Amino acid sequence: MALFIVRHEHKADLCPAADPYRGAALLSHLSQPYARRHGMEIRGKAVVQGEHTLYLIIESADEACVRRFMEPLAAAGSLDIHPASTCAGVVAGGGCAAPGLLTDTETVDPETACEDAVEAGLLVHRVHPLNCETSVPELIGGVVVPNARFYVRNHFPIPLLNPATWRLNVGGLVERPQRFNLDDLHHMPSQTLVVTLECAGNGRSLLHPPVEGEQWRLGAVSTAEWTGVPLVEVLDRAGPAGRARTVVLRGADGGDVPGRTAPLRFERSLSLDEARDSDALLAYAMNGEALPRHHGFPLRVVVPGWYAVASVKWLTEIEVIDTDFAGFFQADRYFYEWPREGRTTREPVALQQVRALITEPVADSDIPTGELTVRGVAWSGASPIARVEVSVGLGTWQPARLVGERRRHSWQWWELLTRVDVPGATTVRARATDLAGRTQPEQPVWNRLGYGINPVQEVAFRVR
Amino acid sequence: MALFIVRHEHKADLCPAADPYRGAALLSHLSQPYARRHGMEIRGKAVVQGEHTLYLIIESADEACVRRFMEPLAAAGSLDIHPASTCAGVVAGGGCAAPGLLTDTETVDPETACEDAVEAGLLVHRVHPLNCETSVPELIGGVVVPNARFYVRNHFPIPLLNPATWRLNVGGLVERPQRFNLDDLHHMPSQTLVVTLECAGNGRSLLHPPVEGEQWRLGAVSTAEWTGVPLVEVLDRAGPAGRARTVVLRGADGGDVPGRTAPLRFERSLSLDEARDSDALLAYAMNGEALPRHHGFPLRVVVPGWYAVASVKWLTEIEVIDTDFAGFFQADRYFYEWPREGRTTREPVALQQVRALITEPVADSDIPTGELTVRGVAWSGASPIARVEVSVGLGTWQPARLVGERRRHSWQWWELLTRVDVPGATTVRARATDLAGRTQPEQPVWNRLGYGINPVQEVAFRVR
């Protein structure tokens, strides 16, 4: 893609914007989405006052493309198209007299990605690769979290995949190896599921003694409505061979990891049964929009109920094998390791633990005496939420009201309208129990890598 | 804030970017976050190749501010600052030769609102008041439509309400008049509903002979997840008196209307029974975010199943009365008026008519022979969708698959995977039927004001 500065001037009496309908049509023509459909990105636009002159900064494959796009305006006046560079390109290339630098198109600029996250109110943990959590007090109801506010967990730089050349290969022990482009997937049977994704390390910062790894507070969890093709549909087209046992899902993201000499790709496996029975989706849309780049554009796996490490982003390969799979993100990470009776017990990280998250009151806030609303979300990978109980001060556990319909794979809002009548420092706690009877421990259960930390949450506040 | 186009030119041998350290400092200087700290927004930037000329589009309080900010560059060469306008501003103001539109501080700047809408891919019908429809081909699955892409229908300029001083008054024939601030409502029992809103005039442009009013195509419909307080909860707190019959809902938006001498506010009524039994919500959140300004911030009514005119935005008053209500938007607009057997029949606009909307294939597109996916949404105010049938060419009606769970108040996706094997021009049609047995007419049913137009949709495309 190349950058252009476009200058268009017309006579005042020919101004197409003077007619409100032509004006509106022109606005639509010069909009980002319309330009995008013509293979262009509009990077800036403005009209010089009193001079009938429009400037556009456009990214496009070539000048001819820009010229075609500008035809409706050219008809009303002049059109100058100047090849241009970004400021970063000029600096990187050694100044405006130098020949200029090629843009690296393989990963998302970490600066931009980080800026976007900060602008949306996410709490950034790491800039590169980008890791940030959702701001819990900004959850104000509604099951879905807007895409810009959805927590982000990356292990490697964010790959920038070209949707036109991207392919999903399905191979290994299958009868009919498959190769899908994005259009193929769009034209297969679709499914939409509301699913809560949670990072297995969510709440890790609660552990004492602390453990290594991203120090997540409680916001590494969000819910969205995902649309795509059921994984089982894609597997059925390929036809796993009789001895097939495991489905390996491989993303386009990769790099070096500790203890391995060669760089590797992000990959995870599901057993063939899990792949078939988990309602796993190959999602191309999130809350009704194409997947954002940092959430796996153009295609990601969404495995409902599982910690999100299973939901491989930037999916490019599905390989069916007849053995277990011992990739880095299963063999070296993402397992529970508990010290028990002098021995070490290990178990893979799989379904999300049951947990309630308090969104109101906000920690350290001042609340007037009188009515108090305690509110939050609760979820469990194993089964829907059966009940949430709330304790104010050190009072008894009171049942909260579950809000809205119970959904199989998504968090549920709950709320308790109660009173606080005694001024002073106090706390509120919330405890969820799922239909399988699992509930939350009072204290975090320490494990070496810090996964599945789901103690009863306590929020301190003051009554005035 | 004002917009400026800034042009800076320097001699090649003085290029500050030639020195990597000065270059990097310059990049940081010209970055959005740095500019923002100086009260400026950079809306676009590019360097003309081989001309040592930098263009910036900057939003700032005044020109002096821009000049100060550009000093480091001005030191290396020339600096021209031109006051500028956005494209939407030019159109809203009546063209580049017009004096421009005064911004009313109590309403949202129409320019900004329009720019946002255009950027999000909405099809703008009118800039002021802002009216735009959702781009149907951009619906790619998922029940909810992202807030930025939700269709917008306004009768008056968009009021800009201060959430700190905003109040909802509930009065008239009630035992306990109420006055709620936003915080009060946040602390009342909440509810989340996925609801499809549709403008009663959606599809009006299909009518022959044409009728007056906004010439909507088919995109004046969208779905969101709404969170708020049930209307019935608020009514119960106020306690309607024994002879109460009607609930009047009044928005903060208003202005002049044809045939009335005094300006009026936007207001609509529901019977007390409708207000109680319709699941109506006083919504403060939309898809997990505070209501956007143009969707009624801070509070709007959402009446599930009804044409959206009932879902009053910017709600400030609820008045209970013991008569029918004859406001402008009920007595003068929003009723069906059919010519029947030489007489005129009238009926108020209430529940949404049943309708299927085709999102794929896109009109006038070229489709290769072979597999064809026909896909879309369907809804009905009276009851959930029972079935959608699709006819390709003039072929028989084939049942489409209904995708996902059936929801009481929201549209449902459907799809049919079929084949087209004969090259040439052809069409596809879709017809929905709801559980109450209502279906769509073959031809639009003409009525004087153009409401509830729901004929079977036909999309023409070419097979190659």
Side-chain angles (χ1 to χ4, degrees):
Chain A
M1 295 287 271
L3 200 67
F4 298 91
I5 294 176
V6 178
R7 187 178 178 282
H8 158 73
E9 193 177 346
H10 55 241
K11 292 230 174 72
D13 56 351
L14 288 176
C15 179
D19 174 291
Y21 295 98
R22 278 181 73 202
L26 206 59
L27 278 185
S28 298
H29 188 93
L30 295 178
S31 74
Q32 187 62 272
Y34 185 82
R36 216 168 262 158
R37 283 203 286 280
H38 289 73
M40 255 159 287
E41 294 278 331
I42 296 182
R43 297 293 184 204
K45 57 184 168 192
V47 178
V48 180
Q49 280 175 13
E51 292 188 17
H52 324 293
T53 306
L54 164 73
Y55 280 93
L56 289 172
I57 302 173
I58 293 186
E59 213 178 313
S60 165
D62 57 45
E63 193 175 319
C65 216
V66 178
R67 197 164 292 280
R68 266 196 308 282
F69 179 73
M70 294 299 296
E71 261 168 25
L73 278 154
S78 69
L79 182 69
D80 304 308
I81 302 176
H82 306 281
S85 311
T86 63
C87 295
V90 170
V91 172
C96 56
L101 195 85
L102 262 182
T103 313
D104 180 350
T105 53
E106 290 185 332
T107 57
V108 168
D109 171 22
E111 199 180 313
T112 314
C114 176
E115 259 182 41
D116 291 349
V118 169
E119 294 305 318
L122 286 163
L123 178 66
V124 174
H125 279 271
R126 198 147 42 124
V127 174
H128 194 45
L130 183 64
N131 281 301
C132 29
E133 63 183 275
T134 292
S135 167
V136 174
E138 281 181 50
L139 297 174
I140 57 164
V143 173
V144 300
V145 174
N147 292 355
R149 300 188 183 183
F150 201 99
Y151 88 95
V152 179
R153 168 65 172 127
N154 290 311
H155 295 83
F156 301 111
I158 301 171
L160 202 51
L161 303 180
N162 180 344
T165 55
W166 172 92
R167 295 292 181 275
L168 171 65
N169 290 295
V170 186
L173 297 174
V174 296
E175 285 159 14
R176 301 170 294 277
Q178 303 281 318
R179 190 175 167 82
F180 299 97
N181 64 29
L182 201 54
D183 210 44
D184 296 333
L185 293 167
H186 283 157
H187 293 100
M188 284 169 64
S190 71
Q191 192 173 14
T192 290
L193 291 175
V194 178
V195 174
T196 296
L197 291 187
E198 183 186 14
C199 175
N202 194 23
R204 182 180 286 136
S205 64
L206 302 171
L207 289 183
H208 295 284
V211 301
E212 282 188 20
E214 215 71 11
Q215 294 302 304
W216 299 110
R217 300 181 200 175
L218 297 172
V221 57
S222 304
T223 301
E225 190 196 73
W226 308 93
T227 302
V229 180
L231 172 58
V232 66
E233 178 84 26
V234 164
L235 286 176
D236 284 350
R237 295 214 181 185
R243 64 181 198 281
R245 204 163 110 190
T246 303
V247 178
V248 181
L249 305 156
R250 195 167 289 132
D253 52 329
D256 291 315
V257 293
R260 302 272 172 125
T261 49
L264 47 80
R265 303 263 294 280
F266 188 85
E267 42 191 12
R268 283 277 305 187
S269 73
L270 294 170
S271 74
L272 194 55
D273 286 347
E274 288 162 350
R276 285 197 185 286
D277 303 335
S278 61
D279 279 347
L281 204 63
L282 305 183
Y284 47 73
M286 179 177 180
N287 289 328
E289 287 185 297
L291 272 185
R293 284 173 177 175
H294 47 294
H295 291 297
F297 179 83
L299 193 77
R300 75 173 298 173
V301 186
V302 172
V303 189
W306 285 58
Y307 278 115
V309 66
S311 295
V312 176
K313 299 195 273 190
W314 308 289
L315 186 73
T316 56
E317 271 169 80
I318 299 179
E319 189 184 346
V320 178
I321 59 176
D322 60 357
T323 58
D324 282 346
F325 178 69
F328 178 82
F329 295 99
Q330 272 159 286
D332 293 26
R333 293 284 186 282
Y334 292 99
F335 52 82
Y336 299 106
E337 189 180 300
W338 300 287
R340 281 189 181 161
E341 298 167 12
R343 292 169 51 190
T344 294
T345 313
R346 265 196 180 203
E347 196 181 292
V349 161
L351 297 183
Q352 296 158 7
Q353 307 283 348
V354 61
R355 166 179 275 168
L357 180 63
I358 299 170
T359 63
E360 267 185 78
V362 171
D364 296 323
S365 58
D366 290 327
I367 305 281
T369 54
E371 290 184 356
L372 170 72
T373 308
V374 187
R375 188 176 271 154
V377 286
W379 66 97
S380 166
S383 115
I385 291 298
R387 64 178 179 278
V388 174
E389 296 152 297
V390 173
S391 158
V392 180
L394 292 172
T396 52
W397 291 102
Q398 307 174 62
R401 182 174 80 88
L402 297 183
V403 178
E405 21 174 355
R406 196 173 258 156
R407 290 212 185 100
R408 180 74 190 84
H409 299 308
S410 107
W411 66 20
Q412 174 144 31
W413 280 84
W414 52 266
E415 63 190 19
L416 175 72
L417 277 57
T418 181
R419 294 187 60 85
V420 280
D421 293 311
V422 185
T426 188
T427 59
V428 60
R429 292 182 301 155
R431 179 175 72 187
T433 305
D434 69 16
L435 287 173
R438 288 161 207 246
T439 189
Q440 300 179 248
E442 288 282 326
Q443 296 300 324
V445 179
W446 193 93
N447 60 91
R448 185 173 66 85
L449 298 171
Y451 295 120
I453 305 304
N454 69 330
V456 169
Q457 187 193 357
E458 183 176 273
V459 167
F461 63 102
R462 283 171 303 274
V463 179
R464 298 208 171 216
Chain B
M1 298 284 273
L3 200 67
F4 299 92
I5 294 177
V6 178
R7 186 178 179 282
H8 159 72
E9 192 176 347
H10 54 240
K11 293 231 174 70
D13 55 352
L14 288 177
C15 178
D19 173 292
Y21 297 99
R22 280 181 70 202
L26 207 58
L27 274 188
S28 300
H29 189 92
L30 295 179
S31 74
Q32 187 62 274
Y34 185 81
R36 216 168 263 159
R37 282 202 289 279
H38 289 73
M40 255 158 287
E41 294 278 330
I42 298 183
R43 297 293 184 204
K45 56 184 170 194
V47 177
V48 180
Q49 278 174 15
E51 291 188 19
H52 323 293
T53 307
L54 165 73
Y55 280 94
L56 288 172
I57 301 173
I58 293 185
E59 211 178 315
S60 166
D62 58 44
E63 192 176 321
C65 217
V66 177
R67 198 164 290 281
R68 267 196 308 280
F69 179 73
M70 294 299 294
E71 261 169 24
L73 279 153
S78 69
L79 182 69
D80 303 309
I81 302 176
H82 306 280
S85 311
T86 63
C87 295
V90 171
V91 173
C96 56
L101 202 80
L102 257 186
T103 311
D104 179 342
T105 50
E106 290 186 333
T107 58
V108 169
D109 173 22
E111 209 177 303
T112 314
C114 176
E115 280 266 330
D116 291 348
V118 167
E119 290 313 314
L122 287 163
L123 178 67
V124 175
H125 279 270
R126 196 145 46 122
V127 175
H128 194 45
L130 183 63
N131 281 302
C132 29
E133 62 182 276
T134 292
S135 166
V136 174
E138 282 182 48
L139 297 175
I140 57 165
V143 173
V144 301
V145 173
N147 292 356
R149 301 188 182 182
F150 202 99
Y151 87 95
V152 180
R153 167 66 170 127
N154 290 310
H155 296 83
F156 300 110
I158 301 170
L160 201 51
L161 303 181
N162 179 345
T165 54
W166 172 93
R167 296 290 182 275
L168 172 64
N169 290 296
V170 186
L173 297 173
V174 297
E175 285 159 14
R176 301 170 294 277
Q178 303 280 318
R179 190 174 166 82
F180 300 96
N181 64 29
L182 201 53
D183 211 42
D184 297 333
L185 293 168
H186 283 159
H187 292 102
M188 285 170 64
S190 71
Q191 192 172 15
T192 291
L193 290 175
V194 178
V195 174
T196 296
L197 291 186
E198 182 185 14
C199 175
N202 195 24
R204 182 179 287 135
S205 64
L206 302 172
L207 289 183
H208 295 284
V211 300
E212 281 189 21
E214 215 69 13
Q215 293 302 305
W216 299 110
R217 300 182 201 173
L218 296 172
V221 58
S222 306
T223 301
E225 189 196 74
W226 309 92
T227 301
V229 180
L231 171 58
V232 66
E233 178 83 27
V234 164
L235 286 176
D236 283 350
R237 295 215 180 186
R243 65 181 198 282
R245 202 163 111 189
T246 303
V247 178
V248 180
L249 304 157
R250 195 168 290 130
D253 53 328
D256 291 315
V257 294
R260 302 273 173 124
T261 49
L264 47 81
R265 301 263 294 280
F266 187 85
E267 43 192 9
R268 283 277 305 186
S269 73
L270 293 171
S271 75
L272 194 55
D273 286 346
E274 288 162 351
R276 285 194 184 288
D277 303 335
S278 61
D279 280 347
L281 204 61
L282 304 183
Y284 47 74
M286 179 177 179
N287 289 328
E289 286 184 299
L291 274 185
R293 284 172 177 174
H294 46 295
H295 291 298
F297 179 83
L299 193 77
R300 76 174 296 174
V301 187
V302 173
V303 189
W306 284 57
Y307 278 114
V309 67
S311 295
V312 177
K313 300 196 271 189
W314 309 288
L315 187 72
T316 56
E317 270 170 80
I318 299 178
E319 188 185 347
V320 178
I321 60 176
D322 60 358
T323 57
D324 282 346
F325 177 70
F328 178 82
F329 296 98
Q330 273 160 284
D332 292 26
R333 294 285 186 281
Y334 292 99
F335 52 82
Y336 299 106
E337 189 180 299
W338 301 287
R340 282 191 182 158
E341 296 166 14
R343 292 169 50 191
T344 293
T345 312
R346 264 198 180 203
E347 196 182 292
V349 160
L351 297 182
Q352 297 158 6
Q353 308 282 350
V354 61
R355 166 180 276 170
L357 180 63
I358 299 170
T359 62
E360 268 184 76
V362 171
D364 296 322
S365 58
D366 290 327
I367 305 282
T369 54
E371 290 185 356
L372 169 71
T373 307
V374 187
R375 190 176 268 152
V377 286
W379 67 96
S380 166
S383 118
I385 290 298
R387 64 179 180 279
V388 174
E389 297 151 297
V390 173
S391 159
V392 180
L394 292 172
T396 53
W397 290 103
Q398 306 173 63
R401 182 174 80 88
L402 297 183
V403 178
E405 19 173 358
R406 196 173 259 157
R407 291 214 184 97
R408 179 73 189 82
H409 299 308
S410 105
W411 65 20
Q412 173 145 31
W413 280 84
W414 51 267
E415 62 190 19
L416 175 73
L417 277 58
T418 181
R419 296 187 60 85
V420 279
D421 293 311
V422 184
T426 186
T427 61
V428 60
R429 292 182 302 154
R431 178 175 74 185
T433 306
D434 68 17
L435 286 173
R438 287 158 207 251
T439 190
Q440 301 178 247
E442 288 282 328
Q443 294 301 324
V445 179
W446 193 93
N447 59 90
R448 184 174 64 85
L449 297 171
Y451 296 119
I453 304 304
N454 68 331
V456 168
Q457 187 193 356
E458 182 175 274
V459 167
F461 63 103
R462 284 171 303 273
V463 179
R464 300 212 169 214

